[in-house]
Amino acid sequence: MKADPKGVLTGIHFMDGNHAACEGALAAGCRFAAGYPITPSTEVVERFAARIPVVGDGVFIQMEDELASSIAIQGAVWAGRKAMTVTSGPGISLMQEHIGLAATYEIPLVFIDVMRGGPSTGLPTLPAQGDIMQVKWGSHGDYEIITLATSSPQECFDLTIKAFNLAELYRCPVFVLLDEVVGHMLEKVVIPEADEIEVQERLWTKKTPEEYWPYDPEYGMIPGMVKAGDGYRIHTTGLTHDHRGYPNLNTKTQYEMVNRMINKIKDNADKIIEYEEDGVEGADIVVIAYGVTTRVAKKAIEDARKKGIKVGLLKLVVVWPMPEKRIREIAKNAKALIVAEGNMGQLVYEVERLAAGNCPTTLVPHPGGGVHKPETIEKAILEAAK
Amino acid sequence: MSEKDMKETYEGAGVSPQDQADNPVDRILRQERMPHIWCPGCGIGTTVNCFARALEKLNIDLDNLAVVSGIGCTGRVAGYLKVDSFHTTHGRAIPFATGLKLANPKMKVVVYSGDGDLTAIGGNHLIHAARRNLDITVILVNNFTYGMTGGQYAPTTPFGSIQTTMPYGMYEHQFNIPKLVAAAGAVYVARWTVYQVAHLTRAMTEAIAKKGFSLVEVMSPCPTLYLRRNRLGEGIDEVKRFKEWAVRKDGADVNDVGISRDKPLIIGKFVDIERDEYIDLMNRQLSKKLGDRYTLYGVENGEV
């Protein structure tokens, strides 16, 4: 379906990433946001609080903490809304239990994480990419999520819409990662007409209350949804549950529930993954990066190419799930892979696993507090090309 | 238990068909989930019976009722009720209910959970929900202990009581729950025990009908993990004790209703006041500032 024009601020704007992400959420049909103030993410919900009363039929509430905001949105989803929360490092740490709950409830939810330097209180106003593994693995147990990484305000708008659409399609938590600098970077943002924006409607069940159970697969592996108040009188729980949503604490039910929750993402990974390539075919060296680091990598690659090096860029737009097949292929054809990321080495281990010894993988780390210098990445490229 | 099994059980117990039809609990229970997990002598089932009767009295469309629970023995209540029912995480039933109610204000939302869940791990949410005065009801079953995890001390465990993590007797101060939520802004606060089923049912009825944040504290025996450890007998002994121990004082000063096993247990309706409700306040303020640009939220036919 097309976006509701009420939430779409059509026009050409000069806007920062945090504001653009908020506009993306409104355009995608998000009508409920709960949040707790935390630098450098708060502008997203500040804008939502100002905009939602005028957009209409929606609410923002500032909860007492991140634990509360990350579960208030789950109540809102079960009431039929599209919902999100917004936070940064310490907040995403506090939300982990409820990320596991959302995965287990199998509800569409968007978490916007504007990343700052860590660990702990770290660098509240400065960038880092240290949450890349936490969003994947942070809650206990086995589950799958989807994560998108933005590198510009325009992407903050576009990818937030995509995040809401993916959340509805796969009924799982979806993360939109902004590096602090992306959140606060002002650039041109083009917001199209509402009828040019594709919005995924909730996969409502087509069954009657008599035939319906909340976890019977209906759309492929995905169960159809209902909302509270529609007469289906459902039950759901964070305990291991059967297709009825009733607790059933045994190995068989655990096996079935966890497998379906994981496979609904894994088996559809080809439809979910998104990446951009620049000169990867025929390259000796391939730089793999995400978020703001891709901007710096582009400059490094440009300079290295001037020195005659055949180097390409693989930009991960969807980081989780990873484009595993493509990285395996690249590793077979390239002489070396370089992972540049705003942490001391996180995604590099995934890339190294996928390279499977076909070529060496080099890390260009950054502890946070700034972004890489292009020369640092260029130096790694030149070193690898020797 | 299936309906057929229920019928046979009733017949075996000599219950007349008339009385079978009159038990309101049957209509709200997920019969296919019976038997429940609660121990013999536990009071939670009695509170559920009263809750079912309260709903019957209120004549609520059950399609518009949501029950939200946290974790623990009382946290299992939601799972047995045949309404939209949500078993959440430990301590977070109230913020989940806040999101649900705000997202769909036509729902009646009841949080049903225990003393450890709501006042310890969930204590911050409890006071903030009372402060906001969003229209939800909390049924707080107080059994002085963490039953599900094996009898650890709670913010409600009386002085001197033995618990697994307080093996030499409780020495921490307790929360006075009515005082806590009244101070935070609750508009309806009552305390009853599972002995006074008629009063408890009426309090639940009043709390659900009351607009704003309402709370009913229900004193309930935990025979397995509180009473036995403290040589206080069976569940029925505590219920008999409630009868002697409880003193009804409607309108009692909440400063005077803290619980001690050496003093009378004050029960009754303590708070029943009017205070602006959350969505009303939001609508009023946003209308004032935004005028025609704002459409009242959650309002159908002129009523929230």
Side-chain angles (χ1 to χ4, degrees), chain A residues 64 98 105 233-234 237 246, chain B residues 32 63 84-85 87 89 132:
Chain A
E64 50 274 16
H98 290 151
Y105 274 170
R233 302 196 191 177
I234 60 151
T237 171
Y246 294 169
Chain B
E32 69 273 22
D63 283 350
D84 285 317
S85 53
H87 188 217
T89 51
R132 289 191 189 99

Side-chain angles (χ1 to χ4, degrees), chain B residues 6-175:
Chain B
M6 289 289 287
K7 199 158 181 290
E8 281 169 9
T9 308
Y10 281 137
E11 279 164 7
V15 179
S16 73
Q18 182 57 39
D19 286 346
Q20 289 176 33
D22 273 355
N23 190 343
V25 177
D26 291 350
R27 282 189 281 278
I28 195 180
L29 281 191
R30 296 184 190 270
Q31 300 292 353
E32 69 273 22
R33 292 215 56 213
M34 296 297 121
H36 56 69
I37 60 156
W38 297 313
C39 303
C42 169
I44 298 169
T46 308
T47 73
V48 173
N49 201 312
C50 294
F51 184 63
R53 285 163 204 278
L55 296 176
E56 188 93 339
K57 272 192 194 172
L58 285 162
N59 202 16
I60 286 178
D61 177 0
L62 292 181
D63 283 350
N64 286 332
L65 174 74
V67 175
V68 186
S69 288
I71 299 293
C73 294
T74 313
R76 291 301 189 95
V77 168
Y80 297 127
L81 300 181
K82 201 172 179 175
V83 294
D84 285 317
S85 53
F86 302 94
H87 188 217
T88 66
T89 51
H90 198 13
R92 321 299 170 196
I94 286 177
F96 181 100
T98 300
L100 180 64
K101 175 71 182 177
L102 260 183
N104 184 357
K106 80 164 190 197
M107 297 294 290
K108 278 273 175 200
V109 181
V110 175
V111 170
Y112 213 126
S113 221
D115 51 308
D117 184 78
L118 287 165
T119 72
I121 188 166
N124 196 29
H125 311 307
L126 179 70
I127 55 176
H128 282 279
R131 172 182 66 80
R132 289 191 189 99
N133 202 29
L134 184 67
D135 184 18
I136 61 174
T137 296
V138 175
I139 310 293
L140 185 156
V141 178
N142 181 355
N143 61 4
F144 297 139
T145 190
Y146 285 88
M148 186 71 88
T149 47
Q152 294 77 29
Y153 77 96
T156 48
T157 305
F159 276 127
S161 290
I162 305 289
Q163 294 283 263
T164 56
T165 48
M166 198 50 101
Y168 305 108
M170 177 70 167
Y171 50 77
E172 284 188 15
H173 287 288
Q174 301 77 27
F175 263 144

Side-chain angles (χ1 to χ4, degrees), chain B residues 176-207:
Chain B
N176 170 345
I177 295 167
K179 182 180 174 182
L180 179 72
V181 293
V187 291
Y188 183 97
V189 186
R191 177 195 285 151
W192 296 94
T193 82
V194 293
Y195 174 73
Q196 296 95 5
V197 287
H199 291 295
L200 175 56
T201 302
R202 183 185 299 164
M204 288 176 168
T205 312
E206 289 177 356

Side-chain angles (χ1 to χ4, degrees), chain A residues 36-76:
Chain A
Y36 184 78
I38 185 164
T39 305
S41 74
T42 317
E43 293 88 344
V44 185
V45 289
E46 285 172 347
R47 188 177 181 100
F48 197 91
R51 289 268 286 129
I52 196 67
V54 186
V55 168
D57 193 32
V59 185
F60 168 72
I61 182 167
Q62 183 174 308
M63 296 299 288
E64 50 274 16
D65 57 31
E66 284 90 347
L67 295 151
S69 50
S70 59
I71 198 165
I73 56 176
Q74 307 200 24

Side-chain angles (χ1 to χ4, degrees), chain A residues 78-305:
Chain A
W78 281 117
R81 300 302 185 127
K82 289 189 179 183
M84 69 163 176
T85 187
V86 182
T87 191
S88 185
I92 205 84
S93 293
L94 285 170
M95 289 178 183
Q96 290 302 332
E97 185 184 7
H98 290 151
I99 290 161
L101 180 69
T104 308
Y105 274 170
E106 296 189 62
I107 51 173
L109 263 192
V110 172
F111 292 80
I112 296 181
D113 176 13
V114 186
M115 292 187 287
R116 68 194 228 185
S120 191
T121 313
L123 302 165
T125 60
L126 297 171
Q129 298 183 314
D131 303 354
I132 197 76
M133 281 293 170
Q134 194 188 18
V135 294
K136 176 73 177 76
W137 301 108
S139 201
H140 54 282
D142 294 301
Y143 61 100
E144 285 285 330
I145 51 81
I146 296 171
T147 300
L148 300 94
T150 60
S151 65
S152 69
Q154 183 68 51
E155 282 187 352
C156 291
F157 177 80
D158 296 338
L159 295 180
T160 301
I161 296 175
K162 184 178 171 117
F164 274 94
N165 291 347
L166 288 169
E168 295 296 339
L169 273 175
Y170 297 103
R171 287 187 59 171
C172 70
V174 178
F175 295 85
V176 182
L177 298 180
L178 282 68
D179 308 293
E180 178 278 328
V181 273
V182 175
H184 289 147
M185 169 193 295
L186 281 148
E187 278 185 348
K188 184 167 93 169
V189 175
V190 181
I191 300 184
E193 300 284 346
D195 61 9
E196 293 166 31
I197 298 172
E198 277 301 325
V199 165
Q200 177 62 45
E201 204 182 350
R202 186 145 301 171
L203 298 177
W204 298 115
T205 186
K206 296 192 170 73
K207 294 178 183 173
T208 62
E210 290 70 35
E211 20 176 57
Y212 179 81
W213 289 110
Y215 295 99
D216 273 338
E218 195 173 332
Y219 298 88
M221 271 177 279
I222 317 292
M225 267 199 95
V226 298
K227 62 178 194 287
D230 277 355
Y232 285 80
R233 302 196 191 177
I234 60 151
H235 181 64
T236 187
T237 171
L239 285 166
T240 292
H241 48 258
D242 58 23
H243 69 111
R244 301 172 300 177
Y246 294 169
N248 208 341
L249 311 183
N250 59 58
T251 313
K252 183 173 174 284
T253 312
Q254 170 79 353
Y255 186 87
E256 287 169 0
M257 184 189 85
V258 172
N259 264 301
R260 192 177 50 73
M261 268 166 44
I262 288 176
N263 290 338
K264 72 178 180 181
I265 307 296
K266 280 198 169 165
D267 293 0
N268 287 303
D270 285 345
K271 292 185 211 155
I272 301 168
I273 56 176
E274 183 182 338
Y275 53 84
E276 291 170 16
E277 289 188 12
D278 171 22
V280 170
E281 286 301 330
D284 291 331
I285 315 290
V286 176
V287 178
I288 300 176
Y290 49 92
V292 73
T293 311
T294 60
R295 295 172 75 121
V296 189
K298 274 179 193 164
K299 169 72 174 146
I301 288 167
E302 212 173 274
D303 293 344
R305 282 176 182 164

